């Protein structure tokens, strides 16, 4: 028998109308580089989202599920686009402004974007691309930046503020199917073509509820979140939608993502929460060590996107800032796990839980697959590839008009997502990742975790960052190469570093090959780009010392 409950679609429109009315006084504050940041209330954002939707429909002719792209920093206008575009039934396509030009063009063409909303400061990136983007009919420009490159281009050009001015602040939002596409984001794909993940209204709605749960980020209208994670990377980890659900104030860094302005923002605006990848937290730590600022408002920080070294957590503990480790992927919306320890434990007892990737929330089912595809027990020691499923986890990639793509290496026959991440799960459901499947070091038939070696190295006082990769070895098949970024003023003493490592990993795992590098190469979303290091090694570009 069916239930007697109402069947109300879970849509972004409902998130928008709820946030702008019930939490109308909450604010989006955007850093401008001027003495005063820019502030806009959720009520104003809601009215302007309606104006944007009116303009997109009436002036630009956006109709049905056409794709409207954004090439923007994190700011109030980007939040307006986030809410307006899906609510009118179109699809928001966030473009990663750090991708190489050819990849960006490939993605726009693949998604068949009709409109692009761009920040003025990003026009130098967009304008040269436009001749290669035949589907783009309109360019909408917002915020400061030189417009001169736009004269004589094929698409029609609009000023964002002029487009909105005088339009109604209400919109007759259509009742949408909750399974309909709301937004899309292409994976930063290190191999092959980028893959489009398409989020539904329903997946965004359910994911936002989970983000706000106390056992996840636990945010309310008493919080302000410093959203460093870009809105072009997995919907800023779902935060703009989650914030509109519970009235969380948003502090947006716009293009001021360097450690010094971030430290200024925290000291001045006192956010209670922040979300960013470890690279940002490393940079900020170096900044406040050199020029102290008060970061203590940050009671609760979500750190993920790459493994968080325990040493970084300890360093922030000392500043009164608590980092909470999370794991996720573009394909998982992204919230997959969060490392909030079980209740009733002392600080000391919490530590072993905090340094894991965390446990799975309701809505994310997980299993571990062995090399023959068998399912492994959750015993804290059996390592396998993590597979997940759930209502905010991708079941396919966008394939354009030809239909969805379900590559065998990404989806199992019974529909689970193969994450490509290798790890163990404890009996109480805490996940510890040891590597990406492709980064595991296979030495003489045994696996060495590059992440374990990196975490141990980054705990050394002379080491700012460390990345360990597998390199070919005649005797063992593969061995670890340790590349190290030293702190200012430190000198390389490889034998000492090796001995330091020996305190936490087995001797047979200790790297023989060492190299000091100026910086760890990073991907477009700030993760270690190990394929670049492997290539540099293969091409003889690294100065390697063999112990
Ligand atoms: P992306 O889709 O670009 O966000 O990349 C997702 C990948 O980032 C995951 O499959 C992991 O390999 C990695 N990742 C994300 N969070 C973590 C974490 N907390 N620890 C280790 N790796 C992570």
């Amino acid at each position: 028998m069916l239930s007697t409950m109402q069947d109300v679609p879970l849509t972004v429109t409902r998130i928008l109308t709820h946030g702008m009315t019930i939490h109308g006084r909450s604010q989006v504050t955007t850093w401008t580089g001027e003495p005063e940041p820019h502030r806009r209330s959720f009520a104003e954002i809601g009215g302007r989202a309606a104006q944007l939707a009116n303009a997109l429909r009436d002036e630009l002719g956006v109709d049905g599920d056409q794709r409207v792209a954004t090439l923007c920093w994190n700011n109030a206008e980007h939040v307006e686009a986030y809410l307006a575009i899906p609510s009118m039934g179109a699809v928001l396509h966030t473009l990663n402004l750090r991708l190489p030009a050819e990849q960006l063009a490939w993605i726009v063409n693949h998604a068949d974007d009709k409109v692009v909303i761009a920040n003025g400061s990003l026009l130098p990136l967009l304008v040269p691309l436009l001749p290669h983007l035949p589907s783009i009919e309109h360019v909408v420009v917002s915020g400061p930046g030189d417009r001169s490159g736009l004269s004589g281009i094929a698409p029609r050009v609009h000023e964002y503020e002029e487009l909105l001015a005088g339009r109604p602040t209400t919109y007759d939002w259509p009742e949408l199917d909750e399974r309909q596409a709301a937004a899309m984001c292409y994976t930063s794909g290190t191999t092959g073509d980028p893959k489009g993940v398409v989020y539904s209204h329903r997946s965004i709605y359910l994911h936002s509820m989970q983000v706000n749960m106390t056992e996840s980020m636990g945010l309310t209208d008493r919080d302000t979140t410093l959203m460093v994670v870009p809105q072009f990377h997995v919907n800023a980890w779902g935060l703009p939608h989650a914030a509109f659900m519970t009235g969380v104030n948003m502090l947006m860094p716009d293009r001021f993502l360097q450690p010094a302005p971030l430290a200024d923002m925290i000291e001045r605006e006192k956010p209670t929460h922040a979300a960013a990848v470890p690279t940002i937290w490393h940079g900020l730590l170096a900044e406040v060590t050199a020029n102290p600022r008060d970061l203590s408002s940050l009671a609760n920080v979500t750190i993920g996107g790459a493994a968080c070294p325990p040493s970084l957590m300890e360093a922030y503990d000392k500043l009164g800032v608590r980092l909470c480790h999370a794991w996720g992927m573009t394909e998982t919306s992204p919230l997959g796990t969060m490392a909030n320890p079980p209740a009733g434990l002392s600080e000391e007892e919490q530590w072993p839980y905090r340094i894991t990737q965390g446990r799975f929330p309701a809505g994310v089912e997980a299993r571990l697959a062995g090399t023959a595809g068998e399912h492994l027990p959750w015993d804290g020691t059996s390592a396998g590839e993590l597979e997940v499923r759930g209502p905010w986890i991708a079941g396919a990639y966008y394939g354009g008009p030809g239909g969805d793509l379900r590559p065998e290496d990404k989806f199992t026959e019974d529909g689970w997502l193969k994450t490509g991440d290798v790890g163990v799960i404890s009996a109480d459901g805490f996940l510890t990742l040891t590597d990406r499947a492709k980064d595991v070091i296979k030495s003489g038939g045994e696996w060495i975790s590059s992440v374990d070696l990196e975490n141990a190295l980054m705990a050394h006082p002379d080491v700012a960052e460390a990345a360990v990769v597998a390199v070919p070895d005649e005797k063992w098949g593969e061995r670890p190469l340790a590349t190290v970024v030293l702190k200012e003023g430190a000198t390389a003493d490889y034998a000492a570093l090796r001995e330091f490592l020996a305190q936490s990993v087995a001797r047979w795992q200790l790297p023989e090959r060492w190299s000091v590098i100026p910086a760890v190469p990073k991907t477009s979303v700030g993760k270690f780009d190990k394929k670049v290091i492997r290539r540099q090694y293969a091409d003889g570009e690294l100065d390697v010392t063999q112990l």
Side-chain angles (χ1 to χ4, degrees):
M1 115 182 152
L2 290 178
S3 80
T4 62
M5 289 295 110
Q6 298 179 13
D7 193 7
V8 177
L10 308 177
T11 57
V12 172
T13 328
R14 296 210 149 79
I15 299 177
L16 162 63
T17 49
H18 173 83
M20 68 181 284
T21 50
I22 305 293
H23 298 294
R25 280 186 306 188
S26 293
Q27 289 205 325
V28 179
T29 302
T30 306
W31 208 248
T32 56
E34 306 289 328
E36 269 305 306
H38 173 270
R39 299 182 202 277
R40 195 169 280 160
S41 72
F42 280 19
E44 288 173 289
I45 297 259
R48 286 168 55 90
Q51 289 182 310
L52 175 60
N54 280 304
L56 289 173
R57 183 189 59 192
D58 301 341
E59 183 79 25
L60 277 60
V62 172
D63 191 19
D65 64 357
Q66 285 181 338
R67 266 70 70 204
V68 178
T70 53
L71 187 66
C72 298
W73 303 106
N74 288 10
N75 50 41
E77 290 73 26
H78 208 172
V79 175
E80 288 158 11
Y82 254 55
L83 297 165
I85 295 163
S87 299
M88 67 188 287
V91 182
L92 168 80
H93 177 197
T94 50
L95 298 175
N96 179 342
L97 53 91
R98 299 201 199 283
L99 285 184
E102 319 78 68
Q103 241 185 69
L104 211 46
W106 189 94
I107 286 172
V108 171
N109 291 328
H110 190 258
D112 196 24
D113 297 332
K114 290 287 172 248
V115 178
V116 57
I117 301 176
N119 284 154
S121 56
L122 294 168
L123 289 176
L125 170 64
L126 179 65
V127 171
L129 279 186
L130 286 170
H132 310 285
L133 310 177
S135 64
I136 296 286
E137 293 168 10
H138 299 271
V139 176
V140 181
V141 189
S142 81
D146 178 9
R147 270 54 169 176
S148 58
L150 290 169
S151 57
I153 62 162
R156 273 181 61 200
V157 178
H158 313 262
E159 279 294 332
Y160 187 86
E161 291 303 327
E162 286 171 18
L163 203 55
L164 267 59
R167 293 192 193 269
T169 52
T170 57
Y171 189 93
D172 191 11
W173 303 112
E175 190 65 272
L176 302 167
D177 183 332
E178 65 179 17
R179 291 162 304 176
Q180 200 172 312
M184 66 195 303
C185 180
Y186 281 72
T187 59
S188 33
T190 43
T191 50
D193 289 331
K195 309 231 168 27
V197 174
V198 184
Y199 308 103
S200 65
H201 284 263
R202 174 185 157 84
S203 71
I204 288 176
Y205 196 101
L206 293 172
H207 180 263
S208 307
M209 293 185 80
Q210 182 53 254
V211 165
N212 284 324
M213 281 181 75
T214 315
E215 69 147 27
S216 296
M217 298 188 204
L219 301 174
T220 73
D221 60 354
R222 292 182 294 281
D223 288 297
T224 297
T225 180
L226 170 60
M227 218 179 285
V228 185
V229 53
Q231 285 183 261
F232 59 73
H233 186 211
V234 217
N235 301 324
W237 297 353
L239 280 164
H241 301 117
F244 249 67
M245 256 190 184
T246 52
V248 184
N249 300 284
M250 296 180 231
L251 176 57
M252 304 300 228
D254 198 83
R255 58 195 184 282
F256 303 97
L257 291 165
Q258 308 71 22
L262 286 177
D264 292 343
M265 268 172 237
I266 298 168
E267 189 165 65
R268 178 175 163 159
E269 295 290 321
K270 308 210 176 320
T272 54
H273 174 261
V277 293
T279 307
I280 296 282
W281 298 106
H282 277 294
L284 193 65
L285 184 62
E287 168 66 27
V288 297
T289 307
N291 307 299
R293 314 283 216 299
D294 179 12
L295 306 185
S296 62
S297 64
L298 286 174
N300 163 20
V301 165
T302 308
I303 181 167
C308 171
S311 52
L312 191 64
M313 243 178 235
E314 273 171 331
Y316 275 97
D317 275 356
K318 290 194 185 112
L319 299 176
V321 176
R322 192 173 169 98
L323 304 186
C324 182
H325 201 187
W327 165 86
M329 308 169 69
T330 307
E331 290 88 336
T332 65
S333 291
L335 189 68
T337 60
M338 277 203 76
N340 287 307
L345 301 183
S346 66
E347 277 293 320
E348 207 183 323
E349 290 165 333
Q350 289 181 24
W351 185 248
Y353 290 99
R354 289 182 61 200
I355 61 175
T356 69
Q357 265 69 16
R359 60 180 161 182
F360 304 94
V364 179
E365 289 171 63
R367 67 188 187 193
L368 287 176
T371 40
E374 77 282 17
H375 297 144
L376 304 174
W378 291 15
D379 56 11
T381 53
S382 304
E385 182 179 0
L386 175 67
E387 297 179 350
V388 288
R389 75 169 172 192
W392 57 82
I393 307 229
Y397 295 113
Y398 177 63
D404 289 345
L405 306 172
R406 283 188 188 77
E408 264 177 28
D409 61 332
K410 295 302 289 186
F411 301 98
T412 65
E413 269 175 20
D414 57 350
W416 292 57
L417 174 75
K418 295 182 180 180
T419 64
D421 288 320
V422 173
V424 299
I425 302 178
S426 64
D428 50 357
F430 279 79
L431 168 75
T432 301
L433 289 184
T434 46
D435 251 315
R436 288 292 289 164
K438 60 181 188 308
D439 291 336
V440 168
I441 303 156
K442 296 175 195 107
S443 172
E446 299 284 343
W447 285 13
I448 300 177
S449 157
S450 63
V451 174
D452 283 353
L453 293 174
E454 287 160 7
N455 283 344
L457 270 175
M458 284 192 266
H460 191 281
D462 289 343
V463 176
E465 276 187 327
V468 178
V469 298
V471 294
D473 182 272
E474 253 183 39
K475 183 165 174 203
W476 299 104
E478 285 179 352
R479 289 294 298 160
L481 159 73
T483 61
V484 180
V485 181
L486 293 174
K487 285 196 184 147
E488 230 176 272
T491 46
D493 181 347
Y494 295 131
L497 286 177
R498 206 174 126 95
E499 276 321 299
F500 180 77
L501 264 187
Q503 294 169 20
S504 40
V505 302
R507 287 209 86 87
W508 65 269
Q509 302 190 346
L510 298 178
E512 306 68 32
R513 297 171 181 83
W514 293 79
S515 182
V516 166
I517 54 175
V520 177
K522 307 274 171 21
T523 69
S524 63
V525 287
K527 305 179 188 201
F528 287 4
D529 198 343
K530 295 195 183 178
K531 74 174 182 320
V532 172
I533 303 177
R534 284 191 285 261
R535 188 199 44 74
Q536 287 171 337
Y537 178 81
D539 293 351
E541 286 171 24
L542 295 179
D543 182 10
V544 176
T545 298
Q546 181 119 14
L547 295 186

